[in-house]
């Protein structure tokens, strides 16, 4: 529960910032906890006592690198990707050279990447920023990359979100999400609606689905 509320604190901070740079800086200094969705997924894997050699993860849109660092600290081999040059720089500073043997950092956008097989794909508050035209291809890549028994952890934005009119972002109804997660066991699904600040300080309505699901 503590992590769950933390997510909001973390996003509120992000929305008050005028640039990704300030966002990453603030997060790495003030909020080192991973997203609740990722924490839950890691707990599930730990209960399953998986072979350490199988611990292969991808962090999509890693941003501040907090989730990436949690994955590395938990022993995962990680591919972390983001399209933002500042994020790339921050993660290099945070994780290298200590984790060089288990970390691959990729500076690419969702539209360009090919995903390798992984037991865990994490996408904390990043997939809604994929353009709608590309989302089906991205999701297909995610499904193809996930190994049987693997998990997806991340967020989707709902139709009541204030940013719904933005043409460069992707939003989902519960029915669309159900379709996306066909073939998965949904282990955690929380829908939240709340008011919060945007970049520039305006009030915005947040409509978010927090999901952890295991691929069968
Ligand atoms: C709200 S931030 C979340 C960052 C991080 N996952 C976290 O929870 O702190 C969204 C991240 O997605 C990245 N992003 C947005 N659109 C992207 C795209 N099309 N391809 C790759 N990364 C993208 C941004 O650069 C940013 O780092």
């Amino acid at each position: 529960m503590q992590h769950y509320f933390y997510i909001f604190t973390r996003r509120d901070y992000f929305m008050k910032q005028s640039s990704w740079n300030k966002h990453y800086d603030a997060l790495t200094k003030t909020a080192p906890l991973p997203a609740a969705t990722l924490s839950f997924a890691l707990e599930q894997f730990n209960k399953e006592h998986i072979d350490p050699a199988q611990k292969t993860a991808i962090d999509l849109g890693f941003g501040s690198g907090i989730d990436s660092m949690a994955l590395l600290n938990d022993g995962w081999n990680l591919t972390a990707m983001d399209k933002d040059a500042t994020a790339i720089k921050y993660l290099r500073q945070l994780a290298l050279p200590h984790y060089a043997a288990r970390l691959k950092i990729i500076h690419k956008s969702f539209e360009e990447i090919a995903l390798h097989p992984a037991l865990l794909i994490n996408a904390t508050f990043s997939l809604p920023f994929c353009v709608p035209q590309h989302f089906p291809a991205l999701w297909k890549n995610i499904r193809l990359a996930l190994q049987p028994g693997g998990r997806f952890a991340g967020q989707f934005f709902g139709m009541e979100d204030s940013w719904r009119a933005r043409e460069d972002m992707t939003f989902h109804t519960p029915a669309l999400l159900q379709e996306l997660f066909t073939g998965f066991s949904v282990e955690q699904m929380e829908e939240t609606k709340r008011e919060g600040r945007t970049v520039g300080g305006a009030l915005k309505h947040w409509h978010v689905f927090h999901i952890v699901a295991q691929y069968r």
Side-chain angles (χ1 to χ4, degrees):
M1 208 58 183
Q2 188 193 352
H3 281 197
Y4 182 66
F5 283 111
Y6 163 74
I7 279 186
F8 292 135
T9 312
R10 187 164 155 184
R11 298 321 134 188
D12 278 353
Y13 205 108
F14 147 56
M15 288 305 152
K16 283 174 192 160
Q17 304 307 307
S18 57
S19 70
W20 290 115
N21 195 330
K22 282 185 187 167
H23 166 54
Y24 303 142
D25 203 29
L27 286 182
T28 47
K29 284 184 181 141
T30 62
L33 292 176
T37 35
L38 175 60
S39 296
F40 180 83
L42 293 180
E43 280 164 22
Q44 297 296 99
F45 282 119
N46 286 335
K47 280 185 208 159
E48 290 165 0
H49 303 291
I50 53 165
D51 177 356
Q54 286 187 304
K55 292 174 91 169
T56 305
I58 300 173
D59 194 4
L60 291 173
F62 63 79
S64 65
I66 292 170
D67 288 354
S68 291
M69 290 305 291
L71 284 159
L72 290 165
N73 288 330
D74 198 50
W76 291 76
N77 290 290
L78 177 67
T79 298
M81 62 84 37
D82 201 292
K83 71 171 185 180
D84 187 272
T86 307
I88 302 291
K89 190 183 100 186
Y90 268 59
L91 187 57
R92 283 195 182 127
Q93 284 172 1
L94 278 175
L96 299 178
H98 189 68
Y99 288 119
R102 288 196 282 115
L103 173 64
K104 187 171 178 189
I105 302 175
I106 298 184
H107 185 193
K108 278 193 177 168
S109 74
F110 298 143
E111 292 75 18
E112 300 170 297
I113 45 157
L115 303 179
H116 60 70
L119 201 58
L120 171 57
I121 298 186
N122 183 58
T124 298
F125 280 86
S126 60
L127 296 190
F129 295 94
C130 179
V131 293
Q133 297 82 346
H134 185 72
F135 189 87
L138 175 62
W139 190 249
K140 190 176 170 193
N141 276 343
I142 290 172
R143 286 185 69 116
L144 287 173
L146 268 179
Q147 294 168 326
R151 287 185 170 82
F152 169 87
Q155 281 71 26
F156 298 84
F157 285 0
M159 297 299 178
E160 293 170 41
D161 195 276
S162 294
W163 285 342
R164 174 71 185 92
R166 279 183 59 165
E167 291 180 356
D168 59 342
M169 292 183 64
T170 300
F171 301 85
H172 288 89
T173 61
L176 285 170
L177 289 174
Q178 206 173 344
E179 221 173 279
L180 289 189
F181 285 97
T182 304
F184 287 75
S185 298
V186 176
E187 299 176 311
Q188 190 185 65
M189 154 82 110
E190 293 195 64
E191 180 180 8
T192 55
K193 299 177 185 182
R194 68 187 288 274
E195 303 306 307
R197 300 276 166 192
T198 65
V199 179
L203 265 180
K204 166 189 181 294
H205 187 71
W206 291 92
H207 184 193
V208 182
F209 296 94
H210 309 262
I211 298 180
V212 179
Q214 185 170 36
Y215 191 52
R216 293 293 175 190

